[in-house]
Amino acid sequence: MHDKISLKEKIGYGLGDAASSMFWKIFSMYLLFFYTDVFGLAPAVVGTMFLITRIWDSCFDPIVGILADRTKSKWGKFRPYLLWVAIPFAVIGVLTFYTPDFDEKGKIIYAYVTYSLMMMIYSLINVPYASLLGVMSSDRKERNTLSSYRMVFAFGGSLLALWLIEPLVNYFGGNLNSKSGWLATIAVFGLITTIFFWACFLFTKERIKPIADEQNNLKEDLKDLWKNRPWWILLGAGIGALVFNSIRDGAAVYYFKYYVSSAVNFDFSLFGSDFHMTPTSIYLVLGQAANIIGVIIATPIANKIGKKKTFFGAMAVAAILSLVFYLFGKEDVFLIMSFQVLISICAGCIFPLIWSMYADSADYSEWKQGRRATGLVFSASSMSQKFGWTIGGAGAGWLLGYFGFQANVEQTATAQNGIQLMLSILPAIAAAISVAFIAFYPLSEEKLQIIEQDLNEKRDQN
């Protein structure tokens, strides 16, 4: 429990989120576009599908957490899922981007089935992975460091995906509307994610054992979670932050294709082949690179002024910058790119903090109730994250339909203005909601130090 976490283990832990974040970011940035412009579904239909499937998936997360809490193996409670689910994760991901030659009704059914399966498989590997943070170390600073490694690798995986996704689709299929190009590209990423998940399994270790062996009482676990005030506040703050990101992510491709419409490209060579990066790719890659900067600076800032103040400040600045973003015209490409960097730095700051804070809330529950259900806490937290993503993702589809968006044609002034709002004013409102919640977060650094000392003393006695 008191072991120093090695660099190898930190890197191994980070690789797990690099894997899941590749698919997560592809889903966030491109799946709505894929369904409307490649698969041929109406945006409102896709928005409703996102809502229904993600609500079910969000409810599925606690089931996975409860299952993981009760898993017993020679590898621990959470690590086995990294081994068992890696291949299904890749296979279902590929099937999600397969486009069968069905009529409209058949396409909708296929999309519902494959996307629902993908989200369930995602939960089955990502909830145990997230829970792993809570049992690798009891030290708050080590957790901050692990969480930062996780987020650096997460955004690194996202950066790799966003850097290569359009060039690979164009390489395999000739253009961004190519069905075969998307299928081959996702297969490449599926192979990478499998390798990364297995490396995470091999390099990490579970150390923390519960003080009391009462993990079989689900009713008491749920009762403890219900009484966990810090967790509820993080729930609200996390949902606000995810809505902020998911609306911006979902609208970005449309923003450049139908509003900015810049013809500037960046050319590069990879493995002897020429690739082209569009303004969309440059915008998204800059955002991911800036996210990594935010992750890197979050830990030293949080260690100095506290997690709550760091979270509050980052989201408040992101809200203000997003409001300013609305003022930019389609010719203000430099300002658009610059503010993408600034906003993404702020967004990057909060992600390592919130998962470290969820681990703190699990400690708080054990300190207060004498029981620990790490998997349930993190699965319920993952549920809230997905619920925020659900609101933002479904909202993006509905908003496009509301503003009169039509795929692959020139957009009306109303539709273009709506896409602008989805990159600026609407995310700013979500960020402000996140700030309002985190203002009431009760676990100060001094309080956490007392909790950590008390729990360590009890564990040493057992």
Side-chain angles (χ1 to χ4, degrees), residues 34-36 38-50 52-53 95-96 98-117:
F34 173 81
Y35 279 137
T36 58
V38 182
F39 206 49
L41 300 179
V45 170
V46 180
T48 301
M49 182 191 74
F50 282 170
I52 294 173
T53 56
L95 291 177
T96 302
Y98 175 64
T99 50
D101 189 19
F102 294 157
D103 59 18
E104 183 178 3
K105 182 178 180 181
K107 287 182 177 180
I108 293 173
I109 293 173
Y110 182 84
Y112 266 87
V113 171
T114 53
Y115 186 65
S116 296
L117 286 174

Side-chain angles (χ1 to χ4, degrees), residues 244 248 283 286-291 293-294 297 313-315 317-322 324-325 328 334-349:
F244 167 81
R248 292 185 77 246
Y283 174 89
L286 282 174
Q288 292 306 294
N291 282 152
I293 295 173
I297 67 175
M315 288 308 294
V317 173
I320 294 170
L321 294 175
S322 296
V324 177
F325 197 94
F328 300 150
F334 177 77
L335 287 173
I336 290 169
M337 298 297 182
S338 299
F339 268 66
Q340 163 71 342
V341 170
L342 295 175
I343 293 170
S344 298
I345 289 174
C346 295
C349 284

Side-chain angles (χ1 to χ4, degrees), residues 194-420:
T194 301
I195 295 171
F196 281 7
F197 276 130
W198 284 350
C200 182
F201 165 79
L202 289 171
F203 295 158
T204 55
K205 179 180 179 182
E206 297 185 24
R207 293 176 178 82
I208 295 179
K209 307 297 180 185
I211 294 173
D213 188 18
E214 300 177 14
Q215 299 297 326
N216 293 325
N217 194 328
L218 176 58
K219 181 180 179 181
E220 293 300 319
D221 288 350
L222 293 172
K223 187 184 297 184
D224 291 347
L225 186 64
W226 178 260
K227 296 177 182 178
N228 194 331
R229 181 169 172 259
W231 181 85
W232 281 105
I233 292 172
L234 289 175
L235 179 80
I239 289 175
L242 259 293
V243 172
F244 167 81
N245 280 281
S246 58
I247 291 179
R248 292 185 77 246
D249 288 354
V253 179
Y254 298 95
Y255 184 75
F256 280 91
K257 180 176 180 179
Y258 296 107
Y259 178 67
V260 176
S261 303
S262 173
V264 178
N265 290 288
F266 174 71
D267 300 333
F268 67 98
S269 295
L270 185 68
F271 304 126
S273 299
D274 293 329
F275 293 90
H276 305 280
M277 286 187 70
T278 64
T280 309
S281 295
I282 296 170
Y283 174 89
L284 297 178
V285 167
L286 282 174
Q288 292 306 294
N291 282 152
I292 294 174
I293 295 173
V295 170
I296 292 172
I297 67 175
T299 295
I301 295 175
N303 286 341
K304 185 172 183 179
I305 69 173
K307 300 174 191 176
K308 175 181 175 179
K309 291 180 180 178
T310 306
F311 191 113
F312 183 96
M315 288 308 294
V317 173
I320 294 170
L321 294 175
S322 296
L323 291 174
V324 177
F325 197 94
Y326 178 74
L327 302 176
F328 300 150
K330 60 182 67 179
E331 71 282 355
D332 297 322
V333 177
F334 177 77
L335 287 173
I336 290 169
M337 298 297 182
S338 299
F339 268 66
Q340 163 71 342
V341 170
L342 295 175
I343 293 170
S344 298
I345 289 174
C346 295
C349 284
I350 65 109
F351 288 108
L353 299 179
I354 197 165
W355 288 108
S356 180
M357 292 162 86
Y358 280 133
D360 293 338
S361 73
D363 285 349
Y364 171 83
S365 180
E366 184 178 17
W367 178 71
K368 197 79 172 173
Q369 310 296 338
R371 299 165 40 80
R372 186 178 190 90
T374 306
L376 179 60
V377 169
F378 274 87
S379 64
S381 305
S382 176
M383 177 185 70
S384 73
Q385 299 287 295
K386 288 184 178 177
F387 187 65
W389 190 38
T390 297
I391 296 173
W398 291 336
L399 286 167
L400 285 172
Y402 175 76
F403 292 126
F405 168 82
Q406 296 291 326
N408 297 312
V409 299
E410 185 175 349
Q411 302 304 309
T412 64
T414 300
Q416 289 189 351
N417 184 62
I419 293 171
Q420 279 186 276

